[in-house]
Amino acid sequence: MWSYPEQFDLIVIGGGHAGCEAAHAGALMGARTLLLTMNLDTIGKMSCNPAIGGTAKGHIVREIDALGGVMGKIADRTGIHFRMLNASKGPAVWSPRAQSDRLAYQIEMKKSLEEVPSLEIKQGTITSLGLEKGAISGVETLEGVFYPCRAVVLSAGTFMRGLLHVGASTYSGGRAGDKTVTGLSKCLEDLGFRLERLKTGTPPRLRAQSIDFSKTEEQLPEKGVRFSFDPQANHLSHISCFITYTNKKTAYIVEKNLHRSPLFSGKIKGVGPRYCPSIEDKIVRFPNRSRHQIFLEPEGLQTREVYANGISSSLPSDVQSEMIKTIPGLEHAQIMRFGYAIEYDYVASGQIDATLKTHAVEGLYLAGQVNGTTGYEEAAAQGLMAGINAVLSVRKKPSFILKRSESYIGVMVDDLVSKELDEPYRMFTSRAEHRLLLRQDNADLRLRGYGKVLGLISETQCNCLEHKRSVIAAGTALLERTCLPFEGKSFRLADLLKRPDFSYEKLRKKFPDKLPDYGEEVNTAIEIDLKYAGYIEREKREIEKLSMLETSVIPKHFDYESVIGLRHEAREKLTQRRPHHLGQAVRISGVSPSDISILMVSLKKMSLGKMHTDETNTS
């Protein structure tokens, strides 16, 4: 084993969405960073649907961008179909989504990372982690190289003991066409980590020329939708997606072949995502539903492959082919790639803290599907947070932990730390208690300041943010102080805007000489802040009530066994999960309100004892 002559501050294992963000953040913060991946040509590869964003996921991408991450920028540059989901509902659930050109996204991501100073990118397959006195000292590769480092972010995706299923056929792989990783799982188990199995899957990909789009519903792209708060040039054509539906014939074919599905034959042991089920699951779970929606989404401008979103399947190839031909528009469709299910190892709940660092090994951080999540966006956000915290730890600086009340990323990480996962974790707006405050449009106002402090956001970007903030404040003040006649009475413009039948644009057209056009982004922010002012204030008051629990930090090595009165189950769960503060402890299953009260008293006594000791030492 040859030891690499230089030591890295941070090594990121895996070039998926989590790994890309971790490596980008670490290097941008000035840490000597190495991104180590099995294949340089698959950095940033979109293994499933080449889409970014969606309900709640779009919020996460905008938060990643606000903090200085890269996903939103690449999505904007390579998008071919943009939409704002839930636009007919309240602003709390508006969610941007983009269909990207798969190959363009991958190329652009790799190029962006290659241009980051302090970041080295190398091809290599990890076999084991090097430890010294219980802390990370480096990584060993299949190629016979030991890379010394001070911290590791492990983002192995679905590659740890990955197993692919198509009907009765089973073969190893991290995804179709890529080999699996075996040694890493054993290494983690030898270090005391508890691994479990999860499952996910993909639908068939179809040849566009074989689809009769006249029998489908066209979905046109929308203008003005984006992820990044920094303008990005997109030189790609924007094209349509299409919608079709399954029917009773489809359901019949699936039902009569369920015994051939590895999901129902007992062959697959891993748990799949409940909210993104296969077509087999849908037919079984919703027997009375006459049809299921399918989105036909182009994979890119340089290919004629179409992603059949909505019919993920691991049925045998002949069944998939027969099933497809029952669907309107797909009667003569040619399958270019059959759908499949994949099982993989992940590190079971309760083994990481709020920084995504493992309890068992100092300097080892986990990000992405290895933590039991699903989705590009969830993975990227974890990669960003893990990369940031790994560098801060190496520099012996305070950790960076976002609260549930200030970001969707904070909600997700808190859930991963405090809750038991019984299926792949996916973000939804319903998971956030304060979603009116955590809108996708104000992510920069909420989080960009953190990015500046961390070294991920430039002075120019901050100046743009402060200009936006000041314009919103000035526009709001103008509406609040301006009174004008309307319907025979005098009204403040702010009060008119609060009416359901008024928007800022409608108000501006009504009084064009009184209200300036600040641009769609600022106009919308002013409108939302005024229309929902009462609800926003109520949410802020609720957050203040809970702030005491969130700010009651529990020491990292707190001895729960010494707390008199704690129930055995609470001691066990708290010792295993190591919550960062009382707010997290409250959300751990098996910890009761009485346990929290006892813990609160114990922490207060400890704090008073420390103060007394400090005073004694000072005197």
Side-chain angles (χ1 to χ4, degrees):
M1 183 70 64
W2 174 59
S3 184
Y4 195 73
E6 299 175 48
Q7 184 186 50
F8 292 94
D9 295 316
L10 171 64
I11 292 180
V12 178
I13 301 173
H17 302 283
C20 288
E21 293 293 348
H24 176 265
L28 214 60
M29 291 171 72
R32 183 168 171 73
T33 305
L34 170 64
L35 174 59
L36 205 51
T37 178
M38 291 170 60
N39 187 348
L40 292 178
D41 297 326
T42 57
I43 288 174
K45 184 173 182 177
M46 305 173 104
S47 306
C48 201
N49 189 5
I52 298 293
T55 302
K57 292 169 176 281
H59 291 69
I60 289 178
V61 181
R62 300 216 87 191
E63 290 181 353
I64 289 170
D65 185 79
L67 288 166
V70 70
M71 174 177 267
K73 292 176 174 56
I74 305 299
D76 283 351
R77 290 179 211 159
T78 62
I80 56 177
H81 182 99
F82 291 84
R83 290 181 67 82
M84 183 64 76
L85 304 188
N86 304 319
S88 62
K89 300 178 181 179
V93 295
W94 295 349
S95 301
R97 184 184 188 273
Q99 191 75 11
S100 286
D101 183 303
R102 180 193 297 276
L103 187 58
Y105 185 98
Q106 191 174 324
I107 292 170
E108 190 68 20
M109 178 63 80
K110 184 171 184 279
K111 179 185 172 185
S112 295
L113 293 177
E114 289 171 341
E115 292 173 349
V116 178
S118 301
L119 176 59
E120 290 191 38
I121 305 173
K122 297 183 185 296
Q123 185 164 297
T125 302
I126 303 300
T127 54
S128 64
L129 302 171
L131 265 68
E132 234 176 69
K133 297 179 180 178
I136 285 289
S137 62
V139 300
E140 294 182 5
T141 70
L142 190 65
E143 294 77 13
V145 184
F146 177 79
Y147 292 99
C149 67
R150 302 169 68 188
V152 165
V153 172
L154 174 58
S155 52
T158 59
F159 282 76
M160 292 190 346
R161 287 199 287 232
L163 201 60
L164 278 64
H165 300 270
V166 181
S169 300
T170 299
Y171 54 99
S172 65
R175 58 186 164 222
D178 291 313
K179 61 183 180 181
T180 189
V181 174
T182 53
L184 201 49
S185 289
K186 185 179 185 307
C187 174
L188 291 173
E189 287 173 332
D190 289 344
L191 291 172
F193 287 96
R194 181 167 52 90
L195 305 185
E196 293 180 0
R197 301 283 278 176
L198 287 177
K199 165 262 172 189
T200 188
T202 67
R205 270 77 155 182
L206 313 175
R207 188 182 182 196
Q209 298 97 315
S210 65
I211 298 173
D212 184 353
F213 289 104
S214 68
K215 295 183 178 180
T216 67
E217 302 168 15
E218 185 174 11
Q219 188 181 58
L220 296 169
E222 297 175 2
K223 294 180 179 179
V225 180
R226 61 181 179 140
F227 291 105
S228 182
F229 293 97
D230 308 303
Q232 302 295 308
N234 181 319
H235 302 296
L236 301 183
S237 301
H238 290 184
I239 58 178
S240 293
C241 292
F242 298 85
I243 300 172
T244 186
Y245 299 88
T246 65
N247 51 51
K248 290 182 178 179
K249 290 181 181 178
T250 318
Y252 173 74
I253 290 170
V254 172
E255 285 174 339
K256 76 174 185 179
N257 287 286
L258 281 176
H259 65 285
R260 299 179 66 195
S261 167
L263 280 175
F264 291 89
S265 67
K267 198 169 187 179
I268 291 179
K269 306 299 181 185
V271 180
R274 182 173 24 137
Y275 299 103
C276 189
S278 65
I279 188 62
E280 299 98 292
D281 275 330
K282 289 179 181 178
I283 298 301
V284 171
R285 285 165 52 189
F286 308 106
N288 297 321
R289 187 175 292 182
S290 60
R291 64 180 191 172
H292 295 277
Q293 193 173 61
I294 303 169
F295 289 94
L296 301 174
E297 300 170 323
E299 296 250 323
L301 301 179
Q302 305 304 318
T303 179
R304 300 295 284 158
E305 274 191 84
V306 174
Y307 186 93
N309 189 356
I311 49 172
S312 172
S313 178
S314 59
L315 284 163
S317 305
D318 62 300
V319 180
Q320 290 188 40
S321 184
E322 185 183 3
M323 171 186 74
I324 285 289
K325 296 185 187 307
T326 66
I327 298 167
L330 308 184
E331 293 89 347
H332 304 289
Q334 299 170 11
I335 297 177
M336 298 180 72
R337 307 185 202 219
F338 288 99
Y340 63 89
I342 179 169
E343 283 186 287
Y344 56 93
D345 288 345
Y346 80 104
V347 176
S349 305
Q351 300 179 80
I352 55 171
D353 66 17
T355 69
L356 300 182
K357 185 169 67 174
T358 63
H359 298 312
V361 177
E362 186 64 32
L364 176 61
Y365 295 75
L366 306 181
Q369 286 179 284
V370 71
N371 280 330
T373 62
T374 182
Y376 305 147
E377 303 80 4
E378 290 89 341
Q382 291 171 71
L384 176 64
M385 298 300 288
I388 289 170
N389 279 304
V391 173
L392 292 175
S393 177
V394 164
R395 292 176 176 169
K396 302 196 182 310
K397 291 187 176 181
S399 301
F400 177 56
I401 299 170
L402 289 168
K403 299 174 186 174
R404 293 182 73 93
S405 59
E406 60 187 350
S407 69
Y408 273 82
I409 296 175
V411 171
M412 175 181 64
V413 173
D414 185 77
D415 283 349
L416 293 179
V417 171
S418 61
K419 295 182 178 179
E420 292 279 354
L421 296 184
D422 54 7
E423 64 180 325
Y425 180 94
R426 180 181 178 181
M427 180 51 71
F428 296 98
T429 52
S430 59
R431 294 191 190 274
E433 301 89 340
H434 310 292
R435 51 188 172 273
L436 190 53
L437 292 175
L438 308 183
R439 305 186 309 273
Q440 56 83 29
D441 64 281
N442 68 2
D444 57 338
L445 298 170
R446 291 184 278 118
L447 301 176
R448 186 140 276 195
Y450 289 131
K452 176 67 169 65
V453 172
L454 292 164
L456 300 173
I457 294 294
S458 69
E459 196 68 43
T460 301
Q461 289 172 302
C462 273
N463 291 339
C464 290
L465 173 67
E466 290 313 311
H467 175 70
K468 175 182 174 180
R469 200 188 299 274
S470 64
V471 171
I472 291 172
T476 303
L478 176 65
L479 286 162
E480 288 177 332
R481 69 170 179 263
T482 304
C483 291
L484 293 173
F486 179 71
E487 295 180 347
K489 295 181 181 180
S490 181
F491 287 94
R492 282 194 321 154
L493 292 185
D495 292 329
L496 285 178
L497 185 56
K498 290 177 182 179
R499 291 185 174 189
D501 55 332
F502 267 103
S503 64
Y504 186 90
E505 189 59 28
K506 186 175 179 180
L507 201 62
R508 195 177 66 80
K509 288 179 179 177
K510 186 76 177 173
F511 306 104
D513 56 334
K514 298 295 182 182
L515 289 179
D517 182 5
Y518 300 111
E520 185 179 355
E521 188 174 309
V522 172
N523 292 350
T524 301
I526 292 170
E527 180 180 332
I528 292 172
D529 284 348
L530 283 170
K531 275 187 180 294
Y532 296 90
Y535 298 102
I536 290 171
E537 285 304 312
R538 187 172 68 187
E539 285 203 358
K540 286 179 178 178
R541 287 195 297 270
E542 289 174 358
I543 290 169
E544 286 175 12
K545 290 177 184 176
L546 295 170
S547 64
M548 183 183 72
L549 291 176
E550 302 289 330
T551 55
S552 297
V553 176
I554 304 172
K556 183 179 177 182
H557 299 294
F558 184 79
D559 182 12
Y560 293 100
E561 293 295 331
S562 66
V563 181
I564 298 170
L566 269 185
R567 293 176 308 110
H568 176 73
E569 183 184 9
R571 279 201 185 95
E572 194 176 70
K573 291 290 182 69
L574 291 165
T575 300
Q576 179 197 38
R577 293 183 174 273
R578 294 280 166 196
H580 180 66
H581 49 64
L582 283 177
Q584 280 181 350
V586 165
R587 291 183 283 275
I588 295 174
S589 174
V591 178
S592 70
S594 62
D595 293 321
I596 294 299
S597 298
I598 291 167
L599 188 55
M600 196 181 298
V601 171
S602 182
L603 289 170
K604 191 172 182 180
K605 285 180 180 178
M606 176 187 285
S607 178
L608 290 173
K610 186 177 182 301
M611 287 173 58
H612 177 71
T613 302
D614 291 344
E615 288 171 3
T616 303
N617 291 337
T618 303
S619 61

